[in-house]
Amino acid sequence: MGDFVGHAVPGTMFLLISIWWFLGVLLQTRRNSYIVARQRLLCSSNSVNEGVKPRSPPTVWYPCPCKALSKFPVEPIVKVLFAIIGTTGELFFDGSWVLVDRNGKFVHEHLNNHSHAVMYCLFGLSGVVDIAMWSGISIPLPPKFDFIMMSACFWIEGLLFYFHLQGHSDISVRLHTILYIVIFFTACTFFPEVFSTRHQSLLALMRAILLGIQGSWFLQIAFVLYGPNPWEDTRANVEFLVIAFAWHLFICITVAIVLFVSLHRLCGKRFVRKRHDRLQQALSDEEEEEAISLEPL
């Protein structure tokens, strides 16, 4: 929808997923640190690495840290639900599901809604792919296909907004130009993970920041073009948008640093201490079993 709700809803969704990715990056980093520490301790104690579970291949989504929900693909399910909500709102709540009129011509007023709807559908399809790969359904999908699918979602989203500028005002063109630049950068961050066998925390953090900027900029577009006091299409307002974007970037990076450091301080030490205690207990149990096996009968 080319109105306030049509831009505020996807902006809010992207912001929520961005926060989830921040949490996922931190927990994944802690988990990888524990696995590396366990392998080093086992090797230093000349133990057999039977207790070390092999690393599962990284996925584009993050599991829920809650024990009750950790067995379910919560993030992919949420992506599918968001896609259903967005598509329904774009095509049916606004009455824009008709794409071709009785004369066989496209309804120009509905094209914007359909471009938003296909964006939602692609992200929903990405969630379906995630669920299919998680469930182990015998579908011949290659490894890391979930990363490729997610990248394709952002590439298509960027193209939709790139060709969305015809006939728009200068201030709308500047707003959407900044938006599709951020989207294209986000799409590029998925490709290195396709060729990597390990979880890249830096790239994951970059994706979370870029997605947060994308969400906040959607909200910026909503308030600038359709808010209570829409901005006038003046040269000063158009030039100020770059400064506004710089502040969005500054705030998102600052929030990311604060969240990362705060969660590391609050949860990281307790998580590492708990894991370390379990690791020491496992090693002591292995040493006791080895000592018992060496006792003369």
Side-chain angles (χ1 to χ4, degrees):
M1 292 178 284
D3 55 11
F4 184 87
V5 177
H7 290 82
V9 169
T12 304
M13 291 179 178
F14 284 137
L15 280 175
L16 292 175
I17 296 177
S18 173
I19 296 173
W20 176 263
W21 282 2
F22 279 130
L23 298 174
V25 172
L26 177 63
L27 295 176
Q28 186 70 38
T29 304
R30 294 294 93 205
R31 181 177 179 273
N32 290 344
S33 299
Y34 162 70
I35 293 175
V36 172
R38 183 176 183 180
Q39 289 177 342
R40 289 177 179 175
L41 284 174
L42 288 172
C43 292
S44 62
S45 62
N46 295 324
S47 305
V48 180
N49 293 343
E50 294 178 356
V52 180
K53 296 181 180 179
R55 288 188 183 183
S56 57
T59 59
V60 76
W61 57 276
Y62 296 96
C64 183
C66 178
K67 291 183 179 180
L69 299 176
S70 60
K71 298 180 180 180
F72 302 96
V74 176
E75 182 182 334
I77 293 174
V78 170
K79 283 197 296 186
V80 174
L81 292 177
F82 278 173
I84 294 174
I85 294 172
T87 305
T88 303
E90 290 287 345
L91 299 183
F92 298 100
F93 288 170
D94 198 34
S96 304
W97 61 275
V98 178
L99 183 60
V100 181
D101 60 15
R102 296 179 179 179
N103 299 323
K105 297 181 180 180
F106 289 110
V107 182
H108 184 269
E109 294 79 9
H110 296 174
L111 292 177
N112 188 31
N113 297 73
H114 281 267
S115 65
H116 288 188
V118 71
M119 177 189 74
Y120 283 116
C121 289
L122 280 168
F123 282 104
L125 180 60
S126 172
V128 173
V129 170
D130 295 341
I131 295 173
M133 297 182 68
W134 166 84
S135 62
I137 299 175
S138 57
I139 299 177
L141 294 177
K144 301 297 187 68
F145 185 78
D146 50 345
F147 286 91
I148 297 176
M149 184 65 202
M150 201 66 178
S151 178
C153 292
F154 284 104
W155 279 111
I156 296 300
E157 181 192 2
L159 287 174
L160 289 172
F161 285 106
Y162 178 81
F163 293 104
H164 179 64
L165 307 179
Q166 186 175 2
H168 284 222
S169 61
D170 291 341
I171 193 169
S172 178
V173 170
R174 181 65 58 86
L175 284 166
H176 289 86
T177 300
I178 295 174
L179 178 62
Y180 72 69
I181 290 174
V182 175
I183 295 171
F184 285 145
F185 269 109
T186 308
C188 292
T189 60
F190 290 92
F191 281 115
E193 296 256 29
V194 176
F195 305 100
S196 176
T197 58
R198 300 176 58 186
H199 178 77
Q200 302 294 331
S201 299
L202 180 59
L203 290 175
L205 184 61
M206 288 177 57
R207 286 197 296 269
I209 294 174
L210 289 171
L211 192 65
I213 296 172
Q214 186 182 154
S216 65
W217 197 249
F218 262 109
L219 295 175
Q220 180 76 57
I221 295 174
F223 280 99
V224 169
L225 298 181
Y226 310 104
N229 298 308
W231 293 18
E232 296 181 1
D233 188 17
T234 62
R235 180 178 179 181
N237 288 342
V238 173
E239 292 181 358
F240 177 75
L241 290 177
V242 179
I243 302 175
F245 174 75
W247 278 111
H248 278 259
L249 181 62
F250 173 82
I251 293 173
C252 285
I253 294 177
T254 303
V255 171
I257 295 173
V258 171
L259 283 176
F260 204 84
V261 174
S262 300
L263 290 172
H264 177 76
R265 293 291 184 182
L266 294 175
C267 304
K269 291 183 178 179
R270 183 174 59 181
F271 179 83
V272 172
R273 188 184 305 113
K274 185 177 179 181
R275 293 292 189 177
H276 185 268
D277 293 341
R278 291 181 180 178
L279 178 56
Q280 293 293 345
Q281 183 64 33
L283 288 175
S284 62
D285 292 342
E286 289 181 5
E287 290 176 357
E288 290 179 2
E289 292 178 0
E290 183 179 358
I292 294 173
S293 63
L294 294 176
E295 290 182 357
L297 298 177

